[in-house]
Amino acid sequence: GKSATTEKSTSGELVVRIGASAPLTGPQAHIGKDNESGTRMAIEDANAKGILIGGRKVRFELISEDDQADPKTATIVAQKLVDNKVSGVIGHLNSGTTIPASRIYNDNGIVQISPSATAVSYTAQGFKTAFRVMANDAQQGRVLGEYAAKNLGAKKIAVIDDQTGYGQGLADEFIKSAKANGAQIVAHEFTTDKAYDFTAVLTAVKGKQPDLLFYAGMDPQAGPMAKQLRALGLKLRFMMGDGGYTPQFIKLAGEEAAEGSYASLPGVPLDKMPGGKQFEARFVAKYQPIQLYAPYCYDAVNVMIAAMQKADSVEPAKYQPVLAGISHDGVTAKIQFDEKGDLKGGAITLYQVQQGKWHPLETLGAAIPAAH
Amino acid sequence: MTDTLLEVCGLEISYGGIRAVKGIDLHIASGELVALIGSNGAGKTTTLKALAGLLHPARGKIQYANRSLINVVAHQRAAMGIALVPEGRGVFARMTVLENLLMGAYIRDDKSGIAIDLARMYELFPRLAERKDQLAGTLSGGEQQMVAMARALMGRPRLLMLDEPSMGLAPLMVQKIFEVIRDIAALGMSILLVEQNAKLALQVAQRGYVMESGEITLSGAATELLGSAAVQRAYLGA
Amino acid sequence: MMVETTLLKLSSVGKQFGGLSALSDVSLHIRRGEIYGLIGPNGAGKTTLFNVITGLYQPSVGEFQFNGQGYQACKPHVLARAGIARTFQNIRLFANLTALENVMIGRHVRTRAGVLGALLRNRATRNEERAVVERARELLRYVGIEKPAQTLAKHLSYGEQRRLEIARALATDPLLLALDEPAAGMNATETASLKSLLQTIRDSGITVLLIEHDVKLIMGLCDRVAVLDYGKKIAEGIPEEVRKNPDVIAAYLGASHD
Amino acid sequence: MEIFLQQIINGLVQGSVYALVALGYTMVYGILGLINFAHGEVVMIGAMLALSSLTVLLGLSVPPLLALLFSIILAMAGCMALGYTIERIAYRPLRHAPRLAPLITAIGVSIVLQNLAMMIWGREYHSFPQLIVNATHSLGGAVINDIQIIIFILALLIMAGLMAVVHRTRLGRAMRAVAENQHAAQLMGVDINRVISLTFMLGSALAAIAGLMVSANYGLAHYYMGFVLGLKAFTAAVLGGIGNLRGAMLGGLLLGLIESLGAGYIGDITGGFFGSNYQDVFAFLVLIVVLVFRPSGLLGERLAERA
Amino acid sequence: MKFNSKSKALVAALVVALLLLPFITDALFGRGWVRIVDFAMLYIMLALGLNIVVGYAGLLDLGYIAFFAVGAYCYALAGSPHLALAFPMMFPDGVHLSFLIVLPLAALLAGGFGVLLGAPTLRLRGDYLAIVTLGFGEIIRIFLNNLNSPVNLTNGPQGISRIDPVSVANVRLSATQNVLGIEFPSVHLYFYLFLAFTALVIFASRRLERSRIGRAWMAIREDEIAASAMGINTRNLKLLAFAMGAMFGGASGALFAGFQGFVSPESFSLMESIMVLCMVVLGGMGNISGVILGGVLLAILPEVLRHIVVPLQQSLFGKTLIDPESLRMLLFGTALIVMMLYRPAGLLPSRVRRRELDSDEVPESIGRNQA
Ligand SMILES: Nc1ncnc2c1ncn2[C@@H]1O[C@H](COP(=O)(O)OP(=O)(O)OP(=O)(O)O)[C@@H](O)[C@H]1O
Ligand SMILES: Nc1ncnc2c1ncn2[C@@H]1O[C@H](COP(=O)(O)OP(=O)(O)OP(=O)(O)O)[C@@H](O)[C@H]1O
Ligand SMILES: [Mg+2]
Ligand SMILES: [Mg+2]
């Protein structure tokens, strides 16, 4: 059917619907809500600005749906957003939901920008409509592995992943890169995204005497893991991907155990970006401390709107080619897409917990060529 | 003249839509042994269950010791001195014989009295004394029947109701159980006895009721009933 | 000669439960066409013996021969197919199925339709189904409970349930029908009608093995009687002999039995 | 060796947590034959109640130990009320219904409690305040801390206490009688509704303690924490023989050990072919093997069915 | 089955209504709802399969979704480029078998797994069986989640994407088709496919229920010992029940994979097994119409709640006070409880259950009647 259309409201405005989807119930609800808030803020900002497209004032409307982090529900939600004639979709949070939904958006010609799905296969399906504003597993894993082996000089590395699509993808790429840079992987252990006792795997890791432990997973696990790590007397460096870069991590680990941990986050540190600090201040005032991907959602909406403005159309078919070639200054990075829809040359910043706070160490990978 | 302990008027009980007991009257005096006989499915068990409070009658009055039993639930009736030895014995299989007997005294808290009664039960049923630490579920049928009776007696009931105590018992054991019934009746307890072995039942009882398809069709002195041609034909296989 | 007249032969069968010897060294043989009674005090091992010959328990020692073939450690369904059917002391009907369905299930072992037959419902299957229903109705009539055919088994009265168990057992076309206290809970009149039913069954050529505490029934019905006590066979013979046996009187009948 | 010892300690601590929860499962199962799927959520509510109360009290600068004591009592009381309510509303009306009906209401209760908790306490993970100095002890190279020791001892004590209640007291006898035959129990004068309610309340009080222990040990609380824990505890109860208190304890400890040894050594045993990602497979295989040989669990009574 | 003219008309009306259903749904509620209806059909198939195991044979299975998973992965591997990764020499483009071959294959494979699961559990009863089947379901999920190494068979947690859509006789169901001037969008086409299969499953269930096999299952459900004494080979028949149920599950799994185009282990979690069980029990165990109703209700209820929670609050309080998503799940849980309390034997109880309940309604205080 016809994909996206617009409707007139009484005041003669053009109402443009933007869909958003993330898990709002279930164990990941706190991150899903964070995504929703980031998206909402961008839309409210745009409405406040009073954007004109096709000569008419545009009012953006958010349609947010709960995909429960479930692939099947994600397709239902996707179909519903299509039914609701959204002009674009910001979502989903997980790769496992983003991929099945992307087929539906593609079939209906609707642009999708995922703020946080990192699986390489999302953009490898050949869908023109699929974009993301987050470095994929390959990009991030490569940088992290290199950093661990080269910059931190780790010789013997242990890896734990949470057996989710995200964790496994990241861990695999990390291992490849760490090995390529001369480190030895002495253990690869596993946990789940619902666990909170890691003593057994950590003890197993301890037996292998690594000097660095990389955890590929999210903060609810990373926090307690850091804590138990110290309790078990493991003396090594603890490193995570973007899933660990949260205030929650420090809270759950306790400041003592969290101290010195590393995490990465695609993009440039917020306070180094023009408007980044301001975004953070406003976001915290309005909602709550940033959990994780709210800035990426904010950027995703903005880059989408920028493309609409540039194309002077809210029709996906019209603004999609513009989006593919856009260059937009977001709060997380300068956003450009490669031919697959992946973030081009995405910078990745490494952070460390120092005195109970995340501090940026250095920004890497700006020169990394696009994956594959 | 002894006074009436239990009086039942127009008792009616149904299962779903089916009326199993259709408005019966009966009464038991203090210290009396009354037999209730009738063929399969006549409604005897149903009646006893209703008296014990396990079923709610659709209609009718039950007076016990001059109190109405409507709205008195089963465990309260037990506390009032009504005991039922159910069809199939209902012993607590995974509890020992002793624990079963102590369950019988659940409503009491006079420790010394319970000890005395326990000794009395072991006297009455020496077999149980031998087996007091055995799990009741592993006892033979006859032994379980003894447990069930002793357990009921441990509550010092004023009214003891027995539902087919001889079922599945070997002849020797039947004799034994009936001796016990006679003994406890002699101690002044009121007893309502349901039995298929109508002859034995009417031999120990003072009065009897005959029940058919949910109705009382005959009643009277036990000896009279034993002699009645109708009873002989229907229940004694004569 | 023995092979032809003997239907069931137990040789030195024993069954142990933990330390308890429920059956020890029991040998007996049942002839084709007779009604064989099994009596004994409570807990003597009668039901255990039933469980052994119907495969619910595996004997600890010994084996038995049925219809000329030896059995040891066999599954119940194998013995049912071989021709042993039983009733249960504590009635075990399919409580939530109708009387008719209960008997139809008894036909299972003598019918053959499988998944394919069920799905295709071809001529053979349809004919078989029809025959099953017919036979089931016939058996209900035979034991005298055709009226409540559509009643759930658990809503039948006690006597009806006992009869239904017999009908269900008969539906398996048994050579040996084993009945565990069929008259328990029946009054004298009802027992009398049961007695004539059992005679009819015997006359139709089925051998009957009967456990009962109703001495009158046993003595009036059985061709031969065995007595168990503490898991051992203490007497065997025609009713008149057994009744006079002092061991039997001491262990089971009691002095004053008429 | 030191690693092995540490894995044993890990297993015992985790196992004690399972055991604490499994005891509650088993009590309810023992009396009603009902899998109380909502039990895990009661554990979670216990942790959350304790957390809230601690937050408030510590905010009012109440001394930590006093705050802890009060919070334990509050959590227990809250969970007891909750257990009573659940039984009253969702299980009692179904006591004579087909066997699976209460299983469905249990699932419903579980969903309701989870989402209620999410509304009340939010979606995020809470860190649980550390109240006592949690000293670490070294044991032949392996480490164990105070909270872990407390959990282990508490689980044993509670089991012993429950055993004493069930086998020595009048209430315990009544509970067993109700479990076996409600009909006959009533005839003995037992108020079965009261006994069942008490059982639920007792089980829920245990759940509150378990919830508090889990949160204190791992330093977190979250509205979703009950589900997996409940499932593991249920598995442990079955492994030990559901309905049997000692079985719950044994099953819990065993499951904990199986998990930690599995996670620690599957990789080495299988030459790296299977790793700790197959930890649950290993645990379930042990369970299946145990049940194949002992169909009613390790300590479950094997009442060979009388025919 | 014989119909008189009245019921013939009824059946005809029903058929017409079902054929029009996707169009009506689309027109009234939008295409998203057609997709929901499609999923509901898949759930009905699943629930009917589980009904054979739980409802007929009385075997409580908490890991049923595993068979759905086996079917789905079977289809995914046999109809996607994925195997090219693991076996580039053998399958340079992956495997792309025809739907008509893969479907029976998936069913058979799942049936085989059913037997595999059944075998060690034969001696277990009730809740012990439940936990072992639960474990089995988890084992399958864990394997699917981890078989991406050493050989990448399942692609692990990332799942398999780019699965071929179902195509029958060269008609691709993933694209809108034009038949006689009427446009049939993809979700409609899948609806008809699922409808046909559901009809098949219903037909098979009915025939099995009223057959010698079905009676034997019910006998086992009622009393296993008595059943075996009646000559029923309980072992074989239980295995058969597991296998039949698993085959239905496997077939619907294959349909799911083709419909969704993506499978990952997340879709086969324990919660899914529990939901399918809820459908069976809540609808009315052992009764086909009940199970169908249960499937429809539980598949659609959360979606209905998704749509009414916000407007409801707005009309009640003028604004959205309570977070709509948790309220939705809260209401769903409450609905489960209330429906069960209101109809303990299921919404449409089977004949047997219905009568069983009648007799239990009166004697309120009677104890558990164990056999
Ligand atoms: N739970 C029930 N549901 C429906 N009908 C029942 C139920 N229990 C008993 N009945 C019916 O009620 C009637 C009376 O049954 P009851 O058990 O009281 O008979 P009884 O006189 O004790 O017979 P018996 O001598 O066989 O024990 C019978 O027709 C029986 O089928
Ligand atoms: N499954 C079992 N486990 C343990 N002991 C058993 C089992 N089955 C039977 N027994 C014991 O074996 C002995 C014989 O029991 P059985 O049931 O055969 O006696 P019976 O002769 O049928 O007695 P009744 O006349 O009372 O029915 C009893 O002591 C009984 O407790
Ligand atoms: Mg009776
Ligand atoms: Mg016996």
Side-chain angles (χ1 to χ4, degrees), chain B residues 89 134 137-142 168 170, chain C residues 17 20-22 40-49 51 57 89 180-181 211 213 228, chain D residues 304-307:
Chain B
R89 297 147 200 160
Q134 190 172 337
T138 64
L139 295 173
S140 90
Chain C
F17 291 109
L20 179 101
S21 200
N42 295 113
K46 305 178 295 292
T47 300
T48 304
L49 188 130
N51 288 339
Y57 291 165
Q89 183 172 1
D180 199 347
E181 299 197 26
I211 295 179
H213 287 304
L228 288 184
Chain D
E305 201 169 345
R306 290 218 51 185

Side-chain angles (χ1 to χ4, degrees), chain B residues 39-46 87 163-164 167 194 196, chain C residues 158 185:
Chain B
S39 50
N40 289 138
K44 308 179 293 295
T45 299
T46 306
E87 204 171 37
D163 198 349
E164 302 203 25
M167 191 201 293
V194 166
Q196 286 300 348
Chain C
Y158 199 86

Side-chain angles (χ1 to χ4, degrees), chain B residues 52-53 56 67-78 80:
Chain B
H56 296 299
R67 274 184 58 186
S68 166
L69 288 187
I70 303 298
N71 296 329
V72 179
V73 298
H75 68 92
Q76 291 167 330
R77 293 190 201 190
M80 291 166 67

Side-chain angles (χ1 to χ4, degrees), chain E residues 232-244:
Chain E
I232 291 170
N233 186 337
T234 54
R235 185 191 50 156
N236 289 357
L237 276 152
K238 278 172 154 186
L239 286 181
L240 182 66
F242 274 121
M244 294 298 298

Side-chain angles (χ1 to χ4, degrees), chain A residues 305-337:
Chain A
I305 291 176
M308 288 176 179
Q309 278 180 293
K310 219 170 152 197
D312 205 24
S313 167
V314 297
E315 287 292 337
K318 298 233 176 75
Y319 79 79
Q320 184 274 332
V322 179
L323 181 64
I326 208 163
S327 170
H328 171 85
D329 287 318
V331 296
T332 61
K334 185 178 192 70
I335 295 168
Q336 287 175 306
F337 298 105

